[in-house]
């Protein structure tokens, strides 16, 4: 299995007319390129290209004998430029939009001589970027699986990202504070209340729920850059595919929502599904049932695996 970090050096002019040299990094898993169907996986906000293997963030989904079986497919995952996994950071992060990232990924595919994909799978921000890719190149993939995401950032999510932006610009522990706020949006009141039940940690003199939030804030601070977080939050804030562009997408679309998602509500994703059905598009809708909210797509693996298994085996 190929897991080394590879690079494609690109020159790119952003939609804001800024010139950048982009060292686009990626990882390949499974079969050699051009010997098997290619599945592109777009990572989420704090994710990266390391999608499979011992330390893979989606190893319960992608790997040998998993649903996305690396014995059957070539799995490709790009790093969003500026996520810091490859040590490349972007100072002026507002120069970039999800549309730019989509264009860069398409340039990466072109450089790798990949003209068509069997499938694109993207969760959260990664799914939003995949929507942007297919809006630009409607015939890119046979199958599109957007998970816990939509083709645009709706008002509620934009507002939460705005709070994140304020916290990330704070002078004291900005990343920790932003992460704690984000965790409350990734989960639900029921998820936290059921898990912690007001248990108090006598040794630390605080609620177990508070200790959990502080842990997550500190843990992200240790492995993630403030510049990277600012960029990713900015991208999540600005997913914006034109609704009319959705009609041109030729892939079979399988939308997966989470019934308790606060970031990308199931009702909004259902609305997109219903609009596309009216346009006679080849689209289906699936819903994960969970108390855990947005993060359920990284937790409810049995449900997610069953959904994707049925999609890929058709």
């Amino acid at each position: 299995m190929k897991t080394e970090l590879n690079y494609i050096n690109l020159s790119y002019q952003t939609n804001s007319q800024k010139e950048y040299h982009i060292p686009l990094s990626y990882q390949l898993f499974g079969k050699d390129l051009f010997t098997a169907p290619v599945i592109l996986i777009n990572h989420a906000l704090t994710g990266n290209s390391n999608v499979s293997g011992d330390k893979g963030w989606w190893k319960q989904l992608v790997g040998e004998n998993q649903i996305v079986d690396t014995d059957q497919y070539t799995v490709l995952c790009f790093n969003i430029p500026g996520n810091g996994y490859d040590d490349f950071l972007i100072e002026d992060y507002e120069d970039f939009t999800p549309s730019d990232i989509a264009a860069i990924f398409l340039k990466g595919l072109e450089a790798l001589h990949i003209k068509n994909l069997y499938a694109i799978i993207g969760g959260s921000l990664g799914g939003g970027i995949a929507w942007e890719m297919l809006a630009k190149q409607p015939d890119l993939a046979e199958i599109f699986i957007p998970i816990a995401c939509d083709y645009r950032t709706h008002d509620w999510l934009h507002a939460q990202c705005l709070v994140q932006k304020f916290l990330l610009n704070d002078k004291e522990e900005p990343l920790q504070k932003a992460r704690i706020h984000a965790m409350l949006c990734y989960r639900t009141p029921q998820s936290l209340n059921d898990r912690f039940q007001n248990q108090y940690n006598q040794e630390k003199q605080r609620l177990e729920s508070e200790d959990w939030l502080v842990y997550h804030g500190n843990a992200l601070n240790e492995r993630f850059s403030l510049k990277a977080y600012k960029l990713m939050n900015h991208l999540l804030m600005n997913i914006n595919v034109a609704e009319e562009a959705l009609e041109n997408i030729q892939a079979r679309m399988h939308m997966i929502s989470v019934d308790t998602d606060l970031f990308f509500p199931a009702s909004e994703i259902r609305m997109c599904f219903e609009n596309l059905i009216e346009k006679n598009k080849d689209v289906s809708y699936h819903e994960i049932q969970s108390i855990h909210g947005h993060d359920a797509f990284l937790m409810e693996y049995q449900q997610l695996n069953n959904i994707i298994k049925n999609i890929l085996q058709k």
Side-chain angles (χ1 to χ4, degrees):
M1 181 181 286
K2 304 173 191 62
T3 58
E4 67 268 17
L5 208 55
N6 303 284
Y7 291 86
I8 302 167
N9 292 306
L10 301 172
S11 295
Y12 181 72
Q13 185 181 67
T14 67
N15 294 328
S16 57
Q17 306 302 304
K18 301 292 178 62
E19 295 286 345
Y20 275 86
H21 168 71
I22 303 289
L24 178 62
S25 63
Y26 65 94
Q27 285 174 265
L28 286 166
F29 303 89
K31 307 293 281 185
D32 289 339
L33 265 179
F34 313 117
T35 66
V38 179
I39 294 179
L40 174 67
I41 295 180
N42 288 352
H43 68 78
L45 190 142
T46 59
N48 52 53
S49 61
N50 197 28
V51 73
S52 185
D54 291 342
K55 296 183 178 179
W57 58 268
W58 232 2
K59 63 184 178 182
Q60 293 93 335
L61 183 77
V62 184
E64 294 178 10
N65 300 316
Q66 300 291 359
I67 297 306
V68 180
D69 191 346
T70 49
D71 286 334
Q72 291 186 40
Y73 302 109
T74 303
V75 177
L76 167 65
C77 188
F78 293 114
N79 283 298
I80 294 175
N83 76 342
Y85 186 65
D86 51 12
D87 297 323
F88 176 66
L89 295 168
I90 294 171
E91 191 74 39
D92 299 322
Y93 64 89
E94 291 186 344
D95 287 349
F96 289 82
T97 65
S99 175
D100 287 307
I101 304 303
I104 290 167
F105 282 8
L106 289 172
K107 278 180 168 283
L109 292 175
E110 185 179 354
L112 292 171
H113 306 291
I114 298 172
K115 295 181 179 179
N116 298 101
L117 298 166
Y118 177 59
I120 301 179
I121 304 174
S124 192
L125 172 60
I129 291 168
W131 277 113
E132 299 267 8
M133 293 176 73
L134 288 166
K136 293 176 185 298
Q137 193 170 327
D139 62 348
L140 178 62
E142 292 182 37
I143 297 170
F144 175 37
I145 308 175
I147 306 169
C149 69
D150 208 350
Y151 67 96
R152 64 182 176 187
T153 303
H154 295 283
D155 295 291
W156 166 262
L157 176 53
H158 190 277
Q160 299 309 316
C161 291
L162 183 62
V163 174
Q164 289 277 291
K165 186 175 181 178
F166 292 152
L167 293 170
L168 289 167
N169 286 327
D170 201 5
K171 291 182 179 178
E172 293 185 15
E173 299 187 322
L175 201 149
Q176 293 96 317
K177 290 175 181 175
R179 185 61 167 177
I180 287 172
H181 167 255
M183 292 301 297
L184 297 177
C185 298
Y186 297 152
R187 302 296 175 91
T188 65
Q190 186 183 356
S191 179
L192 263 68
N193 292 342
D194 280 12
R195 176 170 179 171
F196 296 108
Q197 300 183 18
N198 281 96
Q199 295 175 58
Y200 192 79
N201 188 316
Q202 292 291 346
E203 182 182 345
K204 295 184 179 179
Q205 292 291 294
R206 61 189 182 197
L207 286 169
E208 291 285 0
S209 55
E210 180 181 345
D211 190 54
W212 180 79
L213 288 167
V214 170
Y215 165 80
H216 277 282
N218 291 335
L220 189 70
N221 187 55
E222 290 172 4
R223 74 172 183 88
F224 214 71
S225 159
L226 178 60
K227 289 179 182 178
Y229 201 121
K230 285 182 175 181
L231 166 70
M232 298 306 215
N233 181 65
H234 172 73
L235 294 175
L236 186 61
M237 197 174 186
N238 289 285
I239 302 165
N240 189 26
V241 175
E243 195 165 343
E244 55 269 21
L246 305 183
E247 298 176 38
N248 299 323
I249 296 174
Q250 296 177 27
R252 301 193 301 276
M253 292 178 273
H254 299 269
M255 300 177 189
I256 303 176
S257 72
V258 179
D259 63 337
T260 54
D261 195 335
L262 298 177
F263 261 12
F264 290 97
S267 58
E268 297 285 357
I269 296 172
R270 270 198 308 272
M271 192 181 304
C272 177
F273 161 72
E274 288 165 2
N275 289 340
L276 288 172
I277 281 287
E278 287 183 6
K279 303 289 194 308
N280 296 313
K281 299 302 293 181
D282 189 348
V283 57
S284 62
Y285 175 80
H286 315 266
E287 193 168 291
I288 294 170
Q289 310 292 315
S290 177
I291 67 168
H292 296 303
H294 184 69
D295 263 4
F297 85 95
L298 297 170
M299 300 170 71
E300 303 283 2
Y301 282 107
Q302 186 170 354
Q303 291 186 62
L304 183 61
N305 286 350
N306 286 338
I307 292 168
I308 294 179
K309 178 182 180 180
N310 289 329
I311 293 168
L312 294 180
Q313 286 185 348
K314 284 185 179 179

